[in-house]
Amino acid sequence: APTGRAAKRMSEVIGVRASTIHRCLWQYQMQDMKIEGAILLDEFSMADVALMQSLLRQVDPSTVIIFVGDKDQLPSVGPGAVL
């Protein structure tokens, strides 16, 4: 999720650990690991091109990426509207 509050709520609802996109990327980069399995990206309309590039560099090619959002979410604050 884009914010800590959204990540906390997501974790409460689905019962699985959730984090912000930035924290997840930082944790995997620090461990020199690739993200594997599946990731669910909520409110990804707020992501810019730089964040998308960082994410794709850290994701294993076999990983399933699920984008969740709607047309009324906030747009990207950085350059480029990924979605």
Side-chain angles (χ1 to χ4, degrees):
T3 67
R5 185 174 183 169
K8 181 179 178 184
R9 180 67 182 137
M10 186 185 308
S11 185
E12 291 170 354
V13 171
I14 64 175
V16 177
R17 183 181 65 87
S19 72
T20 65
I21 297 166
H22 293 89
R23 176 172 283 172
C24 178
L25 288 175
W26 179 80
Q27 289 172 337
Y28 277 87
Q29 288 168 349
M30 292 299 292
Q31 297 175 21
D32 195 28
M33 294 174 57
K34 293 284 186 184
I35 300 169
E36 297 178 328
I39 54 175
L40 175 77
L41 300 167
D42 189 23
E43 298 183 22
F44 204 71
S45 63
M46 296 176 69
D48 60 19
V49 173
L51 182 59
M52 183 65 158
Q53 181 182 31
S54 295
L55 177 68
L56 292 178
R57 284 184 177 158
Q58 208 62 42
V59 172
D60 184 81
S62 65
T63 299
V64 174
I65 303 174
I66 303 164
F67 298 97
V68 178
D70 63 65
K71 64 179 180 58
D72 296 322
Q73 288 179 338
L74 295 172
S76 164
V77 292
V82 175
L83 301 181

